[in-house]
Amino acid sequence: MIPRYGPTYSWHDSAVALSKALMGHPTRQLRRELSRMYGAKHVFLVDGARVALFLLLRALGRPGRVILPAYNCIVVPEAVLYAGYVPLFVDIRRDSLNMTAHSVENSMSPDVTVVLATHQFGIPCAVDEIVSISRRHNVLVVEDAAAAIGAKCQGKMVGTFGDATIVSFHMTKVISGGIGGALLTSDDELASKVHTLLRAAASANRRLIPFLRAFAWKAATNPLLYPYLHVAYRLVYGEAMHELLQVSSEIPPRFVRTCTRFSAALVLMQLQQLDSNLHRRRELADMYRSELSEYSVLPAILGDCSPAWIQFPLLVGDRGTFYRYMQRKGVDLSWTYRYSCSDAFGLGGFPNADRAAKMVLGLPTYPSLSDEDAWYICAVAKEYLSTLS
Ligand SMILES: *Cc1c(COP(=O)(O)O)cnc(C)c1O
């Protein structure tokens, strides 16, 4: 079976990262490297992109409404709530799966204090326009580049447009680092407040557990082991392709944790291969695009932008049927988001987000996926999609 995710590190990388975590200064080096890449004066390494957002909002101390897309990971509006702000959802565009500058403009009101410019699945949003609208309204722009490390717009790195940026090193993102994320900003005042908040945080003194987790994840996504674990996982958790989520109001313990030294070391090593990582992801996305454009609605990319493609979202109609069909053919697809956040918050009026939550599945784009497997995925997907039209 072709796994839906594949870690971007090798067995060797994880062993080297462990030794660096035990002996070197990986956190300091990673901070320096990210600071250089993004031209950001301040970099904070924490336990996830959601934690980075939470800290930033707390540090900002302007409780109000936060504009963000309704088709999103539920942990994002949850982090907004934990920080004492109120999410203000905006519908997405059908094709790009991102918010438009126009819809952001229409949602502006005096109680909006922050806009979250999200680059969903690594596909750049109209960030420069969103920034200029937000400046006019005296609203802070945070770029959610959790899924978009290395994506570019007009030759500039995504994550260098707004006032602050969050990125993620979760297993399923551009660079798999286990768990972890970063907050980047050049705003001295904000940074000094984040610094104060983090000083009270638990230091990440866990070294072996993140290593074992990375090791287990690597083993679990091995094609030999994967089908068995996949069946076991489904038996335990079921197969809810579309669901109404309960929003959690309890702040989880990880919201005061920093990134582990192991994850920092693992990310640092892979930053050196970022170009080839992105190149392979784009090759796979181009292959899907040229093979499947006749059969399905494919994500639209804004002019002069290059995505980072953590996966290739495909609109497939009734996705439960498509998913099960692909399963029978030995291809496991990512469910992306099984919900629309507005739905989870009990709000109506977000037709495109609701539609995406019911109809979008993700084709794999991890760099270790072979050409042969990608051709096979295209062939079986075409077989199914052509019976629809
Ligand atoms: C994954 C993701 C997040 C959350 O990242 P964590 O590191 O898991 O907290 C937030 N926003 C977007 C767009 C994501 O893809």
Side-chain angles (χ1 to χ4, degrees):
M1 177 174 275
I2 300 173
R4 65 175 77 171
Y5 302 124
T8 54
Y9 52 85
S10 63
W11 292 104
H12 180 253
D13 289 340
S14 55
V16 175
L18 180 64
S19 75
K20 290 199 168 164
L22 295 172
M23 279 150 355
H25 300 282
T27 18
R28 196 194 307 159
Q29 279 174 284
L30 178 59
R31 273 206 309 268
R32 203 178 299 147
E33 191 53 31
L34 288 173
S35 162
R36 188 193 59 75
M37 253 173 85
Y38 284 89
K41 274 169 80 180
H42 311 280
V43 178
F44 301 93
L45 298 178
V46 290
D47 208 35
R50 66 193 80 177
V51 180
L53 176 64
F54 170 80
L55 277 172
L56 176 81
L57 293 178
R58 275 274 167 99
L60 178 67
R62 279 176 72 190
R65 298 191 137 224
V66 177
I67 291 181
L68 75 171
Y71 181 59
N72 205 347
C73 190
I74 194 78
V75 304
V76 180
E78 278 177 354
V80 168
L81 280 181
Y82 299 156
Y85 293 64
V86 181
L88 175 56
F89 295 112
V90 165
D91 206 3
I92 53 166
R93 242 176 81 144
R94 259 177 184 235
D95 53 1
S96 71
L97 303 173
N98 279 321
M99 303 186 298
T100 63
H102 183 69
S103 54
V104 169
E105 173 103 76
N106 285 343
S107 305
M108 282 294 179
S109 71
D111 53 356
V112 171
T113 53
V114 177
V115 170
L116 203 56
T118 305
H119 308 290
Q120 204 60 266
F121 305 125
I123 303 170
C125 66
V127 61
D128 51 344
E129 290 171 56
I130 293 176
V131 168
S132 54
I133 289 164
S134 306
R135 295 261 191 278
R136 241 187 293 132
H137 289 266
N138 186 28
V139 162
L140 192 92
V141 185
V142 182
E143 279 185 77
D144 184 346
I149 293 182
K152 283 190 174 169
C153 248
Q154 294 132 20
K156 260 179 78 177
M157 280 262 292
V158 151
T160 60
F161 290 83
D163 302 301
T165 292
I166 58 172
V167 295
S168 173
F169 313 133
H170 188 266
M171 282 300 182
T172 58
K173 310 290 169 157
V174 177
I175 294 178
S176 333
I179 234 174
L183 168 62
L184 303 108
T185 185
S186 291
D187 184 321
D188 295 330
E189 202 183 317
L190 263 179
S192 113
K193 288 183 187 158
V194 173
H195 193 74
T196 310
L197 287 171
L198 262 183
R199 214 166 11 200
S203 76
N205 218 356
R206 301 151 287 142
R207 290 181 194 181
L208 219 46
I209 289 171
F211 170 73
L212 293 175
R213 200 196 290 125
F215 206 80
W217 181 258
K218 187 81 186 158
T221 50
N222 181 293
L224 292 178
L225 209 51
Y226 191 77
Y228 301 102
L229 291 171
H230 185 268
V231 169
Y233 185 88
R234 293 300 157 245
L235 282 176
V236 176
Y237 293 103
E239 292 220 66
M241 291 298 289
H242 184 67
E243 59 188 346
L244 247 177
L245 279 198
Q246 197 77 35
V247 179
S248 144
S249 54
E250 197 85 4
I251 303 182
R254 67 184 278 196
F255 273 69
V256 288
R257 276 194 212 130
T258 52
C259 182
T260 65
R261 292 162 60 93
F262 174 76
S263 288
L266 199 53
V267 171
L268 188 63
M269 292 177 65
Q270 295 179 78
L271 273 181
Q272 287 155 14
Q273 295 124 40
L274 180 60
D275 285 345
S276 60
N277 175 335
L278 292 168
H279 179 76
R280 180 62 187 154
R281 289 177 186 279
R282 285 170 191 153
E283 258 177 12
L284 291 165
D286 288 346
M287 189 188 291
Y288 293 141
R289 185 173 292 282
S290 66
E291 288 299 307
L292 302 176
S293 60
E294 270 178 61
Y295 303 94
S296 175
V297 178
L298 304 182
I301 309 304
L302 293 172
D304 208 12
C305 284
S306 44
W309 298 118
I310 57 161
Q311 49 186 268
F312 189 83
L314 193 65
L315 200 89
V316 295
D318 174 29
R319 68 183 194 162
T321 319
F322 184 70
Y323 173 76
R324 282 185 292 272
Y325 174 84
M326 295 298 275
Q327 283 276 304
R328 283 198 298 278
K329 299 284 180 181
V331 181
D332 186 30
L333 298 179
S334 162
W335 294 341
T336 61
Y337 306 127
R338 310 182 298 283
Y339 45 81
S340 130
C341 290
S342 44
D343 217 1
F345 278 74
L347 303 168
F350 301 86
N352 294 342
D354 295 347
R355 182 171 179 266
K358 286 184 183 133
M359 296 193 180
V360 172
L361 281 173
L363 303 184
T365 54
Y366 47 87
S368 60
L369 186 74
S370 68
D371 273 355
E372 198 187 348
D373 283 351
W375 285 121
Y376 176 74
I377 292 171
C378 291
V380 288
K382 264 197 271 191
E383 226 171 74
Y384 174 89
L385 295 168
S386 59
T387 62
L388 292 187
S389 46

